[in-house]
Every structure is written in C-alpha cells, then in structure tokens.
C-alpha cells in the first residue's frame, strides 16, 4: 500500500509528465507551422515518450493500491522566437523535470517507500538521457542552425530521430 503523501506526489508527477507531452506537442505544432518537419518529428517522438513516462507512474500508483488523480494542465506556450529558442526551452524544462524526480526520490526515502524508490530509479537514469538529448539538439542549433543552409541541415539531422524510431 502506498502512503497518501507518496500517492499525491506521484499524481503531481503524472501531471508534470503529461504537461511535458503537452508542451512538446505545442512545439510540434510550432515547428510544423514554420516548415521544420525534421524538428517537428524529433519533438513528436519526445511527446510520445512523455506519455509513456506518465503511464509508468500511473501504473505504479494503481499497482500499489493507490488512487490516480489527474490534475488540470496549464496551457503551453505556442510560439517561440526561433527553433533554437524552442529547444533551449525544452532543455530548461528537462532540467526542471530532473529536479522533480530527485525530490520524489528523496520523498520515497523519507516515507521508507522502497517500491517507489526502486521504480523512480528508472526515471533518474532516464533524465540523464533526456537532458543529454535536448542539450545536444541545442548545441547543434547553436553551431549550425541559426539561419539559412545551416538550419536546413540541422533540421534534417534532428529529423533522423523520428525515422529511427519508426
Ligand atoms: Fe519525462 Fe522528458 O521527462
């Protein structure tokens, strides 16, 4: 059985993960509108991953005899100044998610909830990858993707993520 405190915190994190999917879907719309199909594809994969993260937490709450409570999602930003600005926002968002996960791990230890702590270890590792992927996209855009031909090449490069997953 899960404690009420842990249940509430995991329900909050379900909202964070769904909110991540919502934000990244908004970025898909932005990139697609601007004609950056490669970046739209990259973000679409990312949004799908976030739904998977939410469901991992969802299933854990259910399996532990807890009650899932879904919260309202904030309306995400719909427009960014540039593709680089959008990826910078995504990188900053992933750093925020990492701090949420670390706070959850600490709570699991305080609550002596070893099952939640074990489940959350997957997220600790995943966040290293999440930050790395978004940071590398930012670096790529900084180096070659400010405008013109370089940006077209960066779009093509980032779009490879979508075709690799398909
Ligand atoms: Fe679910 Fe991108 O962290």
């Amino acid at each position: 059985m899960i404690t009420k405190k842990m249940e509430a915190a995991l329900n909050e994190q379900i909202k964070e993960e769904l909110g991540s999917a919502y934000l990244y879907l908004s970025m898909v719309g932005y990139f697609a509108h601007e004609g950056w199909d490669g970046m739209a594809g990259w973000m679409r994969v990312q949004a799908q991953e976030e739904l998977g993260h939410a469901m991992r937490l969802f299933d854990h709450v259910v399996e532990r005899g807890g009650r899932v409570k879904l919260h309202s999602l904030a309306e995400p930003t719909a427009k960014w100044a540039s593709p680089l600005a959008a990826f910078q926002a995504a990188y900053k968002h992933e750093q925020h998610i990492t701090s949420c996960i670390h706070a959850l791990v600490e709570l699991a230890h305080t609550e002596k909830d070893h099952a939640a702590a074990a489940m959350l270890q997957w997220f600790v590792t995943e966040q290293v990858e999440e930050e790395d992927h978004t940071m590398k996209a930012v670096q790529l855009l900084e180096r070659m993707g400010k405008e013109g031909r370089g940006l077209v090449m960066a779009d093509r490069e980032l779009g490879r993520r979508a075709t690799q997953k398909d």
Side-chain angles (χ1 to χ4, degrees):
M1 194 71 189
I2 196 164
T3 65
K4 284 288 157 204
K5 216 168 171 178
M6 201 69 226
E7 178 190 273
L10 290 175
N11 277 323
E12 271 300 316
Q13 191 61 28
I14 291 171
K15 186 193 80 175
E16 289 284 349
E17 301 292 344
L18 291 173
S20 303
Y22 218 32
L23 173 65
Y24 297 150
L25 269 180
S26 187
M27 289 182 180
V28 172
Y30 161 71
F31 288 131
H33 180 75
E34 301 289 322
W36 299 119
D37 291 346
M39 289 185 262
W42 193 103
M43 258 326 149
R44 188 181 285 257
V45 171
Q46 189 64 32
Q48 276 161 353
E49 280 196 11
E50 299 303 346
L51 292 177
H53 296 171
M55 289 316 295
R56 259 180 194 264
L57 296 161
F58 187 108
D59 290 340
H60 183 82
V61 171
V62 171
E63 284 165 9
R64 302 283 308 285
R67 210 176 269 280
V68 168
K69 169 95 177 70
L70 296 178
H71 300 292
S72 304
L73 297 179
E75 188 176 309
T77 304
K79 242 166 97 178
W80 287 265
S82 63
L84 174 61
F87 272 97
Q88 282 170 331
Y91 180 44
K92 197 170 164 211
H93 184 73
E94 286 303 330
Q95 289 173 312
H96 161 70
I97 295 296
T98 298
S99 67
C100 293
I101 295 294
H102 290 181
L104 275 173
V105 171
E106 281 160 32
L107 179 66
H109 289 311
T110 312
E111 294 285 292
K112 300 194 189 329
D113 188 337
H114 303 294
M119 180 275 295
L120 287 164
Q121 278 311 306
W122 182 89
F123 281 89
V124 171
T125 308
E126 176 70 4
Q127 278 313 117
V128 174
E129 197 179 283
E130 293 281 86
E131 286 197 26
D132 182 50
H133 282 166
T134 44
M135 181 182 69
K136 289 211 168 93
V138 167
Q139 286 171 339
L140 180 77
L141 287 167
E142 278 173 348
R143 282 180 196 146
M144 58 186 287
K146 293 258 168 58
E147 57 192 9
R149 206 186 170 91
L151 189 51
V152 171
M153 284 170 73
D155 184 58
R156 200 168 300 158
E157 177 64 26
L158 289 166
R160 285 173 52 200
R161 184 186 189 191
T163 45
Q164 275 162 3
K165 292 264 172 178
D166 282 339

